[in-house]
Every structure is written in structure tokens, then in C-alpha cells.
Amino acid sequence: MLVTEISLQFEQFSTPISFTLKPGNTLGLFGKSGVGKSSLLHAIAGLNHRFEGKISFNDMIWDQNNKHLAPQIRSIGLVFQDYALFPNMTVEQNLRYAQGIDQVELKEIIDMLEIHSLLGKSTNHLSGGQKQRVAIGRALAYNPDILLLDEPFSALDISVKQKISSFLKNYFILKNKHVILSSHIREDLRFFTEDILEIKEDE
Amino acid sequence: MEEFWHPLLLSGKLAIYTTAILFLVIAPILYVLSMYHFTGKKLIKAIVALPLILPPSVLGFYLLLAFSPSGILGQAWNQVFNTRLAFSFQGILIASVIFSFPFMINPILSAIEGLPITLTQASYSLGKSRWHTFVRVLLPNVKPSILSACVLTFAHTIGEFGVILMIGGNIPKETRVASMAIYHQLEMMNYDIANQYAIILVIFSFVVLLGLQLLQKNPTRPILC
């Protein structure tokens, strides 16, 4: 169970956030641009320390009183908004970079994300939508306990988005993952969960 | 004829040794400066870049003091190898390594710092260590800069004059490199031979710079475009 009780600190304002997320559940993050959705995902991943409060997972404290567990130990798969694919590697090498699942499962993910034809390509030669699918695939292939997806459908067209969303929704439940999805489109979040957290600045 | 080519071969040997040594020496420094945040990092970066703006005579003066038989390094060298460090090939090699240091480390460090931070973050979030991230993600993505740094270091060492003059003097087959040979021939009023050395160095410099432009995917762009 992921427990987050923090206040994100920005120069002009702070954003209080509190939630508990059980395995197999998905939390949607909704809020206007710049309010702290990405900062929250990065904080949970251990990549952003500009907050006060506590983050714990399965009774293990990850962050408290300026002490932070290294991101490598957290078992988190983060899909970055800018995809963060490794340009020196092919699509397949990106997927296998931290592979934590067997070949059959990896092939299933590759097929569902429709990236089989891209495997040998350099990531420099992919469109935004293709990069986004590979980034999702890389996070799934790592097989983490927690999946953090930062605007994961922003570059996908509607038909691809629907197909991938259906696959992911089933995958998250089947694999009993803790999932946090951020989006500025409420309908995208509603497809996955009724549990939507609207992030606002502290008044 | 053999005498003519000797300074050029000595310059080549000095440049190859300097580039190879620096390639190995900068790896751990590059790793620490790229992967860790710590107090004093800016101070280290300033010290590393110092030879870029320091007059060669200043660096040469202090190195000469250290390398002389009564100097700290000179004494230690003499005790270990039973030979002098100043006015020897080993002396100009060490001086060359120090003087060319920023030419090797700065282009690579700048390139690594120019990579998106999310590449490092992505690797960390996928459970990979700092070292793994440095070797598998960061370094492969700055390969052109590593190549440029090696070529620049090599070329800079070939053209070195001031430091070598102070540390190595002008000893044939020991410290008389190509740039020293030009100076020596000028003093002897052998302008033709000095000119031959100079032309070879001009051609070499031009070929190196042209090669760098061809190797870089994104060579120097016009300012207005």
C-alpha cells in the first residue's frame, strides 16, 4: 500500500497532497498545467525532494525528514512526459534495458502496444506517439510494483489510445499494480478509475 | 633526413601518449563531476579549466620548480627512477598532460551536462546504479564529443610550445618536438627548414579541423540562419 502525505514546495505556492493507494487500484491525477502533477510523480519515484511530509510503501518509509530512499530501490516504473528513451539504443534495447518479465510476457506487451515493427529502429527516428508507446512498454517490462504514468496518452491518436487504454486497464488489474495516472483530460482518467484526485494550489 | 623527421615523430609520440593518459585519467573525474552533487564541485571545475587561460609561462614556471632536482616531484622521481624529470621526455609528457587536461575533459563534461536530466532519472527509476547509468546511457550519448576531445587534445599537444620550452628545453631526440624545432631552426637562421616544419604543422592543423567538422553530425552553423 502506498501512503502519501506531502506538501509540494514551489517558489510561489505549495500543493498539499494526501492519498492512500492499494494494490490493483488506480489513482487519477487531475489538475491544470504547472500545479504539480509531474512533481508529485517524481517525488514518489524519488527524483524530486522538494516537499515536506512522508511517503511510505508497504509500511516502509521512503521519504521523511529530509531522508530519502534511493530511486533505484523503490520498484517504480515511471513513464516520463518527454518519454526519456535512450537515444543510443534501439527500441528493443530500451525495452530490455531493465527487463523484469519473461520473453512471452514481453512479446505480449510489444504486440499490444503495436511496436513490433519498431524494435530494430533507433528511438531518434520515431514519432511522438511511437515514443510514448515504447516508453510505456519499457516501464511495463521492468515489472515494478508501482507504475507512474505522466500524461501517457498525450501523443496518441484516439483509436490507438482506446486500444492501449483497454489493454492497460486489464493489465493493471491482472498484475495487481499500484498505478497513478496524470492527465489534464478528465475523461482519460475516468476510463481507468473513479478515484480521481484534483490537485490544487494551497489557498 | 632522419634528423628532420625526428622532432615530428617526437611530437606525434608526445601527443599520442598525452591523449591516451588523459583518456584514462579523466574517466573517474568525469564520473564524479557528472553523477554527484557536492560542495566544492564548482571549485574543482574551475581548477580543471585553469590551464585554458593560464599563460603557459606561469604553468611552466611552477612545473619547473616542482620538476627540478630539488623540487618535490623532481626529488621523488629521482629516487624512484634514478633519473631527472626536468628536461626529459617524461617531464614534458607530465607537463603536457596537465596543460591539455581541460581540452580533454571540458567538451565531454559539457556534452554530458547538456543531455536531458530525464535520461539519468529514467535509468535510476529503472533500478540502475550511477555507474551503470554513466557507462551505458551517458557516455554512449556523447560519443562525438569524446572523439572531438581526443582529437583536440592530440592537436593541442602537437602545437604546444611555451610549457615544453620551459620544462624540456631544446634537447635533440629528447625534448625537441616540432614546435621547438621551428624555434631552433629560426635561431640558426635556417628559414627553409623552419618553413618546412611550419607548413607541415599548418597542413596538420587544417586536416584535424576539417576532420572534426566532417565527424560532427551538427558542425558549426552559420550565426544567421
Side-chain angles (χ1 to χ4, degrees), chain B residues 42-69:
Chain B
K42 285 183 178 172
L43 182 73
I44 292 176
K45 284 168 84 170
I47 292 169
V48 162
L50 202 57
L52 275 178
I53 55 164
L54 209 59
S57 53
V58 174
L59 190 66
F61 171 69
Y62 285 116
L63 287 177
L64 188 60
L65 288 183
F67 288 5
S68 68

Side-chain angles (χ1 to χ4, degrees), chain A residues 42 47 71-72 76 78 80 82 84-89 97-98 138-139 142, chain B residues 116 118-119 121-130 132-133 136-137 140-141:
Chain A
H42 283 231
L47 303 170
Q72 289 93 335
I76 274 182
L78 173 58
F80 289 76
D82 72 349
L85 298 176
F86 306 128
N88 59 307
M89 300 180 197
Y97 183 72
R138 186 177 66 181
Y142 180 42
Chain B
T118 49
L119 292 184
Q121 291 178 331
S123 183
Y124 287 176
S125 73
L126 290 164
K128 300 301 182 188
S129 66
R130 278 193 173 99
H132 191 278
T133 303
R136 289 286 313 278
V137 177
N141 280 306

Side-chain angles (χ1 to χ4, degrees), chain B residues 66-129:
Chain B
F67 288 5
S68 68
S70 56
I72 299 168
L73 286 172
Q75 263 184 348
W77 187 272
N78 194 28
Q79 278 177 359
V80 176
F81 299 105
N82 199 25
T83 177
R84 70 171 192 270
L85 188 55
F87 304 106
S88 70
F89 178 77
Q90 288 81 2
I92 62 169
L93 178 59
I94 294 171
S96 183
V97 164
I98 294 167
F99 195 52
S100 294
F101 203 86
F103 289 87
M104 181 63 105
I105 199 164
N106 280 6
I108 306 174
L109 190 58
S110 298
I112 288 176
E113 288 175 344
L115 290 172
I117 185 70
T118 49
L119 292 184
T120 304
Q121 291 178 331
S123 183
Y124 287 176
S125 73
L126 290 164
K128 300 301 182 188
S129 66

